[in-house]
Amino acid sequence: ADPADYGSNDLGKAFKMVADLIATREVRGVDRDFFFVPFGGWDAHRDVGWNLRRNFSYLNSAIQSFSEEMKSEGIWDKITILQASEFGRTVEPNSGDGTDHGW
């Protein structure tokens, strides 16, 4: 994928870097890699709808470009993507159209 397809945000740049590193797997002599790509900005105490639309747009663009590149290299079926979050949110919105920590 063209680097521009990944977007200019930090998440897109990180996925492009992972793709570039995977492309060097034979030169590096590895058959297995593990990469950690952090993606903050989910702690939306205000304007949660806008925040989610922005973040999911970044996420969709990065993963779509990454998957297309891995498919073009014939290795998409060997890729696993895992997503995790470290805390929950309240179900009911707060007064700022956001959510609070749901301990």
Side-chain angles (χ1 to χ4, degrees):
D2 184 318
D5 294 341
Y6 283 86
S8 60
N9 59 72
D10 289 343
L11 183 66
K13 291 175 184 177
F15 266 92
K16 178 59 179 154
M17 183 181 301
V18 169
D20 290 347
L21 286 167
I22 289 172
T24 67
R25 65 194 176 281
E26 291 178 12
V27 172
R28 292 182 293 121
V30 299
D31 61 357
R32 185 173 297 120
D33 277 313
F34 179 88
F35 300 98
F36 176 76
V37 177
F39 183 30
W42 298 92
D43 194 4
H45 292 274
R46 302 187 65 61
D47 301 320
V48 70
W50 174 87
N51 191 64
L52 288 174
R53 283 188 296 279
R54 180 198 62 197
N55 285 347
F56 281 129
S57 173
Y58 292 165
L59 188 61
N60 288 341
S61 176
I63 291 177
Q64 180 178 354
S65 295
F66 179 75
S67 70
E68 289 172 2
E69 189 161 350
M70 296 300 99
K71 287 174 185 175
S72 74
E73 292 187 27
I75 59 170
W76 177 241
D77 62 338
K78 297 178 181 179
I79 302 289
T80 300
I81 297 175
L82 173 70
Q83 181 277 325
S85 177
E86 82 283 6
F87 66 90
R89 306 302 294 187
T90 57
V91 176
E92 295 294 321
N94 62 24
S95 62
D97 288 329
T99 59
D100 295 315
H101 297 259
W103 303 107

